[in-house]
Each structure stands twice: as C-alpha cells, then as structure tokens.
Amino acid sequence: MAQSDTRRGNAKTSGATLEKKKPGRRTSKGRMRLRVILLLLIIIILLPLLLVYFITESQNSLIYSEVSRMPSRPVALVFGAGLNRDGTPSWMLADRIDAGIALYKNGKVQKLMMTGDGIENNEVNAMSLYAQQRGVPVSAIIKDSGGLRTYDSCWRALNKFQIHSAILVTQGYHLPRALYLCNSLGINSVGLKAGLERYPGQDSYNSREFLAILGSWIDINIFKPTPEASR
C-alpha cells in the first residue's frame, strides 16, 4: 500500500510538472510571434522612410538655386501647378514660369516646355501666354497638355517630344521626385529651384510629396505605366 501510494504521488507530481511546463511553452511561442510581428511592423514603417530618404538625397547634387550656375540644356521642363479662378497661373506656377523665363533669357535653354493639364483647365495655354507676355517668343515654347502628373510629364518629354537632356523647373520640395523620375526614365536632367522655400499650406504639400515619392518609386520599378502619348 505504501509503495502504491508513493507511485500515485509520483504520478501526480509528474502530471503537475507537465501541466506547469505546457503554459511555459505556449508563453514562449507567444513571445516569438509577438517579436516577429513587431519586426514586420518596424520593416513596414522603416522601408518607406528609407526609400524616400534615398530618392531625395540621391538627387540633391543635381539641384541648383541660381540661374547663373546652371549648366546649359536644350530645354527647360516647366511643370504645371494649377490656375487661379480667373484662369491665370497660381502663385506657385507663376514662380515656376518666371524661373523658366530667366533660364531662357540667360541663354541656358533654347526652349521652354510647358507641361501640365491642358484638357480640363487649359493650364498649358495659360502658362504659354504668361511667358509670351514677358518676352518669350511663341517659337521657343513647347506645349504638352498631357502632363497630368509628374511621371506623365517626364515620360512624354522623352517618348513624345524626344527630349533627352533638360533642366527641370519647379519648387524645391518637388524637385527630387521630378529629377528621380526623369533621370530614371532616361532624360539627363538637372533642376532649378523656383520660387520660395515655403508657401501657404507647405506642410500639406510636404506630406503629400512623401506619398508621391513612394508612388514614383513604384511606377519606375513595378508598374512602369505608359501614359497616352498622342495628345
């Protein structure tokens, strides 16, 4: 009887030990899953930040602030930026056109390519008229009404207008993306920083630009879309 009781006691003790070990194993697996999830979250957060940082930093050496220091190119691409209600260029767009006009008048380019939305709001016509009123002849202006977004403008400049070398004219926050797109597509490009460092609502522009830079990387490396080239 004593031996039987001892065996039963040992069995109970062994069972209790097993029961204690099981929760420990589950806890260990749970911690491992949590670590994997945290690692994935860190990667998901850091990867976009690293991509945007790389794209921005890799284009900085191609950005100029002074017309006099710019290397010459055949064409300046002036990117659209919207119109006022009366159909005149917005403040931001006027600054871009003024910078393009300065390039032309200083002999840095022979042509200005106005690229924007010429379908709904006739943006490129307003851009062209603004430049003509300030002394740029019609013969020196190229109009691209299919530049609905920056990727489209760069793609069409190369594939529709056969532009292989250019100065890109836009604000500083937008230049890294424009340069990345044009250079990646095959246009040897440098950029002229137009206008101000900050405009009303600049924080909103910067936030949207972060997402737009990610989108540009996806366009160049994954989707590689072909915009309409016949307009």
Side-chain angles (χ1 to χ4, degrees):
M1 288 292 291
Q3 290 181 350
S4 177
D5 290 342
T6 301
R7 288 174 184 172
R8 289 176 185 174
N10 290 338
K12 288 181 180 180
T13 303
S14 176
T17 302
L18 289 174
E19 288 177 3
K20 288 180 181 179
K21 287 183 178 179
K22 288 180 181 178
R25 290 175 183 173
R26 291 174 185 171
T27 301
S28 179
K29 289 180 180 179
R31 288 175 180 171
M32 181 61 69
R33 288 174 184 172
L34 181 60
R35 287 172 184 169
V36 170
I37 292 170
L38 288 174
L39 180 60
L40 289 174
L41 286 174
I42 290 171
I43 292 172
I44 291 170
I45 293 170
L46 284 182
L47 184 58
L49 293 172
L50 290 173
L51 279 174
V52 171
Y53 176 81
F54 171 76
I55 290 173
T56 301
E57 290 298 312
S58 65
Q59 307 305 315
N60 279 342
S61 63
L62 304 175
I63 295 175
Y64 294 78
S65 299
E66 298 178 25
V67 172
S68 61
R69 296 179 177 272
M70 293 293 308
S72 297
R73 292 286 192 274
V75 183
L77 268 63
V78 183
F79 294 88
L83 301 178
N84 298 317
R85 290 184 179 181
D86 62 0
T88 59
S90 66
W91 180 6
M92 187 176 286
L93 179 54
D95 284 346
R96 295 180 186 185
I97 305 170
D98 285 337
I101 293 171
L103 287 170
Y104 176 78
K105 290 186 175 181
N106 281 273
K108 296 296 183 178
V109 297
Q110 289 76 54
K111 301 276 187 179
L112 298 180
M113 178 172 166
M114 308 300 186
T115 176
D117 183 357
I119 300 169
E120 294 184 0
N121 60 20
N122 223 14
E123 185 176 34
V124 293
N125 285 339
M127 295 167 71
S128 175
L129 179 61
Y130 183 97
Q132 290 175 55
Q133 291 172 340
R134 287 153 181 80
V136 179
V138 177
S139 59
I141 297 174
I142 303 168
K143 294 194 288 186
D144 174 27
S145 62
L148 305 183
R149 61 195 188 111
T150 306
Y151 178 91
D152 294 2
S153 293
C154 295
W155 190 94
R156 287 167 57 83
L158 177 68
N159 294 282
K160 178 175 172 59
F161 297 94
Q162 287 74 55
I163 293 173
H164 296 274
S165 181
I167 295 174
L168 311 186
V169 184
T170 184
Q171 274 72 25
Y173 78 93
H174 180 220
L175 268 175
R177 174 162 61 103
L179 286 164
Y180 170 74
L181 286 168
C182 280
N183 282 307
S184 295
L185 289 168
I187 301 175
N188 185 343
S189 304
V190 292
L192 175 61
K193 191 184 296 184
L196 307 175
E197 290 292 335
R198 292 187 64 83
Y199 290 81
Q202 188 64 51
D203 290 338
S204 175
Y205 294 136
N206 292 343
S207 297
R208 284 183 291 178
E209 189 63 18
F210 179 88
L211 296 175
I213 291 174
L214 289 178
S216 71
W217 184 89
I218 292 171
D219 280 339
I220 290 295
N221 295 283
I222 300 176
F223 293 133
K224 303 178 182 180
T226 302
E228 176 58 55
S230 61
R231 293 194 188 105

